[in-house]
Amino acid sequence: MSPQEWWRHAVTYQVYPRSFADGNGDGVGDLPGITSRLPYLADLGVDAIWISPFYTSPQADHGYDVADYCDIDPLFGSLDDADALIARAHELGLKVIVDLVPNHTSSEHEWFQAALAAGPGSPERDRYIFRDAKPDGSLPNNWMSVFGGPAWTQAPDGQYYLHLFDSSQPDLNWRNPEVGDMFVEVLRFWLDRGVDGFRVDVAHGLFKEESLRDQVVEAGKTASSDARDAADVPMVERTVRDEPMWDQPEVHDVYRRWHEVLAKYDGDRMFVAEAWTQTPESMAAYIRPGEFSQAFNFAWLLAGWSAEEFAAVITGTMDAVGLVGGSPTWVLSNHDVVRHVTRYGGGAVGLARAKAATLTMLALPGSAYLYQGEELGLPEVDVADEDRQDPFFIRTGEGGRDGCRVPIPWSGTAAPYGFGPGTGQPWLPQPADWAPITVEAETGDDSSTLEFYRAALAVRRTFAATAGDDVEVLDLGADVVAFRRGPVTAVLNCGATPVPLPEGRVLIASGPVDGTLPADTAVWLG
């Protein structure tokens, strides 16, 4: 392992630009806002930031519908602002990872506009996936959009185009070499500007089975009824059945090519896959030598509050990445799922469990990804239907991801809690009871979630890169997750009653400990 591989043991903080910090008072976060708060992130103790899309976009899916991959949307600032952010981050010792969206573009991308204008059979149209209706006039196949409804929309001339997400996000045709060449140029554009890596959206997408055959669904169901069954769960929880639109073998050729591009730049540039895989083994396929540096490990996020489930994820993940010499990742929340304070029960119990799960995660080998606001203990917000803006909710009337995307509170006693200049609510309204959990309120309070995160990350730095990648799982009872990694023993009590602590000096705990480990609490012993 090269000593330059900073990402193998890094803690990366996800910034969702719309909701992190607003520099100009329009109620929407932006790049100058992020830059102004970088010292806070450096003080928190993270190693890198991952910034969700800030490219030119009509914002139908809040930036995941890209109209120009090599420019900044005016909502967020300018290329000069991006350069200033990257430079300031590097001054503070923070790496910068940017989001890349290669499965689809915005319908306002110049390529798609040219495809509509050129008509059926044209080279321009071949950059996307257009098909005629079936002879009986029905849709080209039975595929459904992740955001609800059919995955096909009719163009004015009668042909249909494929969109596995919103109708404003047409899927690219990765069997056309122009598409791959374009994205290599995008990679180089941002690498030349100094970014340290890429988070690749829908990395298991891109290629579809060439026949575009119908999806086989369970007996007694249709593709649309299967989609309705999945409408109220996060994308990462969609059950894989027969899915000819995902995880095709050709995607790995793309990532081998990208690996070669990144390898030509100094500083050990990296890329991490958002691949919705259902097992640690299928996740590990993306991090074979010569492909991705890392892939998100959604198995950890999807595990329930269960010692048995957590232990199975740990052993399964370590076994899988070990087969390919890969580096594991661990994540509990992101911009697409319910915040883990709420998933674990909400209130004091949910917060205690969230801190305990986080401490356990941070002791494991590999890198951890934190989602903005989790260091404050933010819960999921019950956003009123009239305020929701997620296209998933707009298309289906169900679920949606707005609750985890409410702008984070920085200071003060009322909205916008220092999110930006002015006194009005930001783009998603903040709750009236957030004054006790602002950055300002929690700073210096040793009992706060923020100071717990700062302390945990500081202790983690003392062993993360030196404790090795071997994990020895310990049997301390059915309700206890325990493992030894180098000089550190981590113990998590998922049960309802206190359990005896092994011998050792307490390095940090997620709650009070005194000879025994209380319920919903974790500890590191040295």
Side-chain angles (χ1 to χ4, degrees), residues 293-353:
S293 312
Q294 296 179 321
F296 287 130
N297 179 16
F298 292 124
W300 182 254
L301 180 155
L302 294 173
W305 186 252
S306 159
E308 182 180 10
E309 289 189 45
F310 282 138
V313 171
I314 292 170
T315 55
T317 298
M318 297 307 300
D319 289 347
V321 299
L323 293 174
V324 295
S327 172
T329 65
W330 313 95
V331 59
L332 283 166
S333 281
N334 62 35
H335 65 293
D336 282 333
V337 301
V338 173
R339 287 186 176 274
H340 58 286
V341 167
T342 300
R343 290 203 318 271
Y344 291 148
V349 169
L351 180 59
R353 290 175 173 179

Side-chain angles (χ1 to χ4, degrees), residues 1-295:
M1 181 179 72
S2 164
Q4 286 187 310
E5 290 177 333
W6 59 268
W7 42 266
R8 283 188 178 264
H9 303 288
V11 175
T12 298
Y13 185 100
Q14 180 189 356
V15 172
Y16 190 69
R18 300 177 69 94
S19 301
F20 186 67
D22 173 14
N24 61 10
D26 65 356
V28 179
D30 48 38
L31 298 188
I34 297 171
T35 303
S36 72
R37 299 293 187 177
L38 289 175
Y40 163 78
L41 296 179
D43 181 63
L44 180 63
V46 301
D47 303 292
I49 59 171
W50 148 36
I51 309 174
S52 292
F54 45 54
Y55 312 108
T56 304
S57 165
Q59 300 295 315
D61 189 20
H62 298 157
Y64 284 93
D65 49 322
V66 181
D68 186 343
Y69 291 88
C70 296
D71 204 355
I72 306 297
D73 194 281
L75 184 68
F76 301 126
S78 66
L79 279 172
D80 287 343
D81 292 326
D83 291 340
L85 188 160
I86 294 167
R88 180 62 175 142
H90 288 165
E91 287 175 3
L92 293 167
L94 296 170
K95 303 290 187 180
V96 179
I97 299 168
V98 299
D99 225 309
L100 191 64
V101 188
N103 180 72
H104 49 263
T105 70
S106 165
S107 56
E108 294 188 14
H109 192 284
E110 63 179 3
W111 272 13
F112 191 72
Q113 291 298 307
L116 292 178
S122 63
E124 293 85 355
R125 194 158 282 200
D126 189 54
R127 294 165 173 161
Y128 295 87
I129 300 175
F130 281 82
R131 292 293 185 273
D132 294 324
K134 290 180 179 177
D136 63 2
S138 61
L139 296 174
N141 65 28
N142 67 350
W143 296 2
M144 303 299 293
S145 163
V146 171
F147 287 169
W152 296 93
T153 290
Q154 195 168 33
D157 55 36
Q159 272 201 319
Y160 289 85
Y161 66 88
L162 179 69
H163 54 89
L164 292 176
F165 294 87
D166 191 67
S167 58
S168 65
Q169 296 168 290
D171 280 50
L172 288 159
N173 174 21
W174 273 86
R175 299 185 186 280
N176 183 329
E178 284 188 84
V179 175
D181 291 346
M182 185 267 278
F183 274 95
V184 165
E185 293 307 308
V186 171
L187 292 175
R188 289 173 176 154
F189 178 87
W190 289 105
L191 291 166
D192 289 343
R193 298 192 95 87
V195 304
D196 301 286
F198 301 89
R199 176 267 190 186
V200 180
D201 185 63
V202 195
H204 65 304
L206 283 59
F207 282 87
K208 288 72 179 166
E209 280 195 28
E210 194 163 12
S211 66
L212 298 184
R213 63 173 176 81
D214 277 354
Q215 181 180 14
V216 178
V217 297
E218 294 178 23
K221 289 191 173 185
T222 64
S224 58
S225 65
D226 266 359
R228 284 194 299 272
D229 288 347
D232 61 350
V233 300
M235 296 180 199
V236 295
E237 294 184 38
R238 291 168 59 85
T239 303
V240 170
R241 303 172 184 87
D242 170 59
E243 296 195 312
M245 67 289 290
W246 302 125
D247 208 15
Q248 301 303 304
E250 296 94 332
V251 300
H252 296 283
D253 294 331
V254 174
Y255 301 135
R256 282 188 282 271
R257 183 183 183 189
W258 288 10
H259 181 94
E260 292 176 358
V261 172
L262 268 63
K264 293 178 181 177
Y265 286 80
D266 61 9
D268 194 51
R269 315 297 175 97
M270 59 85 75
F271 58 154
V272 56
E274 184 218 25
W276 309 341
T277 62
Q278 296 300 303
T279 66
E281 292 78 14
S282 54
M283 175 270 293
Y286 285 82
I287 56 173
R288 291 173 293 193
E291 296 192 36
F292 276 98
S293 312
Q294 296 179 321

